[in-house]
Amino acid sequence: MATISDNLQAVTGRIAAAARACGRNADEITLLAVSKTFGVDAVSAALACGQHAFGENYVQEALDKIAAVRGAPEWHYIGPIQSNKTRQIAESFAWVHSVDRLKIAERLSAARPPELPPLQLCIQVNIGDENTKSGVAPADTAALARSVAALPRLRLRGLMTIPPPTVDSSRQRSHFAALRELKTQIGNGGLPLDTLSMGMSADLEAAIAEGATIVRVGTAIFGDRRSRQ
Ligand SMILES: *Cc1c(COP(=O)(O)O)cnc(C)c1O
């Protein structure tokens, strides 16, 4: 069985190769290790290999891990956000990728403790998937971004998407290109953003080719989750 260390090396190699293939510097791309459903031991093993940023989807599971993991990694919340969980998220995470409503951003802003740096934020956009309700519609993204950028205690960094799964790499790329173009449009409108959170285990190459600055990778690092959920 491949170890977390082997898997991390393989994923880092994929990121480097994908960056090279499109003339980008791999240093511009942050690997977010998605540790949902995996325990403290798995996070600690990845940390020991130098992995710094970890993504979590479930608040209570994440809080237990955050309390137990030693070595202070950077925690990113990437899951659906219920209003009654915004305080816990604002108190315990460095980043949130999955904001798709102003009300949630307002609650995160109000709850971010003053002694912590601003909460780093991405807006989740629903690119190309009619079957999911998560994510703001592309047409409404610029207005939401302007409202979120005006809130204190938050720093709007960019956009995130989970496109519909497909093995067709040209379809993967067209979804990621749509998110990149939306970021450019918002920048042209006077709100420069520096982050595109896109690409997972199965499609990180396509995402990097279209400008991803954070790839969120779970399965390729920690293994299959199906038997665990
Ligand atoms: C689970 C999850 C990932 C990781 O997906 P893999 O296919 O396991 O790499 C990335 N982003 C989000 C939002 C997720 O929920």
Side-chain angles (χ1 to χ4, degrees), residues 34 36 57 78-79 160 162 199-202 216-220 223 225:
V34 178
K36 65 181 175 207
N57 287 55
I78 63 175
M160 178 274 233
I162 311 171
M200 314 197 288
S201 293
R216 310 178 310 269
V217 179
T219 309
R225 283 183 303 273

Side-chain angles (χ1 to χ4, degrees), residues 2 8 19 32 51 61 74 87 92 97 107 119-120 126 154-155 159 166 169 172 174 180 196 211 219:
L8 270 172
L32 182 65
Q51 176 59 33
E61 179 196 326
E74 183 177 86
R87 175 164 301 282
S92 300
H97 293 229
R107 291 178 65 95
L119 187 59
Q120 309 294 303
N126 186 352
L154 306 178
R155 177 148 172 243
L159 306 179
T166 169
S169 66
Q172 291 172 357
S174 69
R180 171 173 48 71
L196 280 172
T219 309

Side-chain angles (χ1 to χ4, degrees), residues 137-209:
D140 300 331
T141 305
L144 178 59
R146 277 192 297 275
S147 304
V148 169
L151 294 170
R153 309 298 301 130
L154 306 178
R155 177 148 172 243
L156 179 62
R157 297 293 298 271
L159 306 179
M160 178 274 233
T161 197
I162 311 171
T166 169
V167 293
D168 176 345
S169 66
S170 68
R171 292 202 54 215
Q172 291 172 357
R173 281 191 61 162
S174 69
H175 290 130
F176 294 136
L179 195 71
R180 171 173 48 71
E181 283 156 19
L182 201 49
K183 171 178 167 289
T184 302
Q185 271 174 34
I186 292 170
N188 291 343
L191 186 58
L193 301 174
D194 64 13
T195 299
L196 280 172
S197 168
M198 58 188 196
M200 314 197 288
S201 293
D203 56 13
L204 67 89
E205 283 84 1
I208 289 170

Side-chain angles (χ1 to χ4, degrees), residues 49-88:
C49 301
Q51 176 59 33
H52 175 61
F54 292 85
E56 289 284 337
N57 287 55
Y58 311 106
V59 175
Q60 193 53 54
E61 179 196 326
L63 295 181
D64 294 345
K65 254 178 260 184
I66 291 170
V69 168
R70 306 223 227 147
E74 183 177 86
W75 293 99
H76 294 225
Y77 188 77
I78 63 175
I81 306 176
Q82 294 168 316
S83 317
N84 63 354
K85 298 283 166 60
T86 45
R87 175 164 301 282
Q88 289 168 310

